[in-house]
Amino acid sequence: MPGLTSSIGMVGTGNYLPHEPISLESYVEAGLELSPMDNGPLVRAPQWRHHVAPGDRASEMIERAAAPMFERVGVDVRDVDVLITNVLLPDDMFTGCGADTAHRMGMSPEWIIDLHNGGCASFQYMLKLVGSIMATEGARTALIANVQNTAGQIFAQEGNRFKAHCVAAGDGCGVALVTAEPGPDTPRLLGTCTRNTPATARDLGMATSDGRHHWQTGDSVLDVQFDAAKTKETLELGNRLVPELVRELSEQCAFGIDEIDVLITNQPNRIFLRNWRNALGIDAERHIDTYDRFGNLYGAGVPVTLHEAVTAGRIKPGNLVVTAGFAHAGDFAAAAAFRW
């Protein structure tokens, strides 16, 4: 479904990767066994990843990503009137981290939204929500933030840490500052495109070996698993969704796929990254890849990678930048386009 194309701009980006990076070699030294197939070019685990530590809070990660950005772009945090967060593993049972983040950073926004759905495509979803709020409610400045914090808290536990999806996961935070009054040199949002596929919503979820719910007491380790009986369908849907959403967005915003200068997607694994760019006919140089440096950052993958591309000078003025991703087992997908 198309999003509002009101003229909103991205004033700045930022990211934060917690603590020192952890190498694949350290996993091997700790007992991870790699077969020849595990070291294949498309299924090899990332070389590096970061993990949160006990006591690290999502609000603290957002502050560490956002504070340098505000200083860099010269915007007062007190001017923020919309704060939207997406945190994969909320720190508290009943409340999100939005109010805590606002308090830590000294802001008092009119809108605080802790968005719990959207997963690996939630960055685009938050942009769409911000555009709607700015168009209908008169909001002027918004901070959006993605936090991935399950690698160090769930996937690094004994019983999980050597599983393929656990080795691939990393933690991090990506943020963006959005304005309803972009200047002539401010990157502008051209449009967003989103799709819900609710039938797949239960094909991924919390799992324990003894079948207990995550809120019940027990000794089994908590993990996150796909429905094994639907593996083929999940892979096919994941391969298809991102290219389809990018094409829908290109039609909506009237640009050709060949005009895309930079493509940034979520970073689940090397196979999806290859398949997506091949399906779109985009070469690897234009598809930014941070998987080997940070692993699978889930919802934080797009904004973290966007900031890396900006700071490395891989996005130039005038570039057409497209971000896209799919969430969970495919229940949500989204794309967004910017003129830098």
Side-chain angles (χ1 to χ4, degrees):
M1 181 176 179
L4 293 174
T5 55
S6 57
S7 182
I8 68 174
M10 186 174 293
V11 179
T13 60
N15 67 25
Y16 168 69
L17 288 308
H19 310 293
E20 293 299 313
I22 301 167
S23 69
L24 180 59
E25 283 74 16
S26 68
Y27 274 84
V28 174
E29 292 170 359
L32 174 67
E33 296 181 2
L34 295 175
S35 68
M37 181 174 290
D38 293 330
N39 276 316
L42 287 178
V43 297
R44 186 174 63 249
Q47 180 59 40
W48 302 97
R49 77 282 294 138
H50 295 253
H51 283 178
V52 297
D56 288 347
R57 292 183 62 82
S59 58
E60 179 183 22
M61 295 174 69
I62 295 172
E63 180 184 30
R64 291 188 176 184
M69 175 187 65
F70 279 102
E71 183 175 353
R72 187 169 57 250
V73 301
V75 173
D76 192 326
V77 298
R78 293 172 294 183
D79 291 336
V80 171
D81 47 19
V82 180
L83 171 63
I84 307 182
T85 72
N86 176 268
V87 179
L88 198 58
L89 185 65
D91 293 312
D92 300 305
M93 185 174 294
F94 297 111
T95 62
C97 76
D100 188 25
T101 299
H103 176 67
R104 288 184 67 94
M105 298 193 66
M107 62 177 72
S108 184
E110 179 180 357
W111 293 78
I112 297 178
I113 301 172
D114 292 305
L115 180 75
H116 194 58
N117 65 325
C120 297
S122 55
F123 181 74
Q124 291 79 230
Y125 194 12
M126 291 191 286
L127 285 169
K128 183 174 182 175
L129 289 175
V130 164
S132 297
I133 293 171
M134 287 181 167
T136 60
E137 300 293 332
R140 313 312 301 165
T141 306
L143 173 64
I144 60 177
N146 281 97
V147 175
Q148 146 59 3
N149 56 351
T150 60
Q153 299 190 89
I154 292 180
F155 298 144
Q157 294 183 74
E158 292 298 327
N160 281 343
R161 61 183 306 205
F162 292 154
K163 296 175 182 176
H165 65 281
C166 298
V167 174
D171 290 326
C173 173
V175 299
L177 186 63
V178 179
T179 179
E181 300 173 337
D185 299 324
T186 304
R188 292 175 182 252
L189 179 66
L190 303 179
T192 59
C193 187
T194 59
R195 183 191 299 177
N196 286 292
T197 311
T200 67
R202 297 192 64 184
D203 294 347
L204 173 71
M206 295 288 190
T208 56
S209 59
D210 58 7
R212 68 180 177 87
H213 292 289
H214 69 277
W215 43 264
Q216 291 178 308
T217 59
D219 297 326
S220 59
V221 66
L222 181 67
D223 193 10
V224 179
Q225 296 180 0
F226 288 91
D227 184 339
K230 297 183 178 180
T231 299
K232 183 175 181 290
E233 291 86 348
T234 299
L235 292 175
E236 290 177 348
L237 184 59
N239 278 320
R240 193 175 75 241
L241 278 173
V242 168
E244 285 183 355
L245 266 292
V246 171
R247 291 191 185 98
E248 286 184 23
L249 184 66
S250 72
E251 293 178 6
Q252 172 191 320
C253 297
F255 63 79
I257 299 298
D258 60 341
E259 297 178 61
I260 298 173
D261 296 295
V262 176
L263 173 67
I264 295 174
T265 62
N266 62 308
Q267 309 275 310
N269 56 55
R270 303 176 198 275
I271 296 175
F272 274 132
L273 293 174
R274 181 205 61 178
N275 291 350
W276 291 339
R277 60 177 171 260
N278 286 351
L280 290 167
I282 292 178
D283 58 76
E285 181 60 29
R286 289 187 289 154
H287 186 192
I288 309 298
D289 181 352
T290 58
Y291 179 74
D292 217 34
R293 295 173 58 197
F294 306 133
N296 184 1
L297 287 173
Y298 295 83
V302 167
V304 165
T305 302
L306 176 62
H307 182 65
E308 291 295 307
V310 169
T311 55
R314 298 187 65 178
I315 299 178
K316 310 253 188 291
N319 277 177
L320 175 63
V321 179
V322 172
T323 67
F326 85 101
H328 315 124
D331 66 324
F332 181 73
F338 305 85
R339 180 63 68 182
W340 223 257

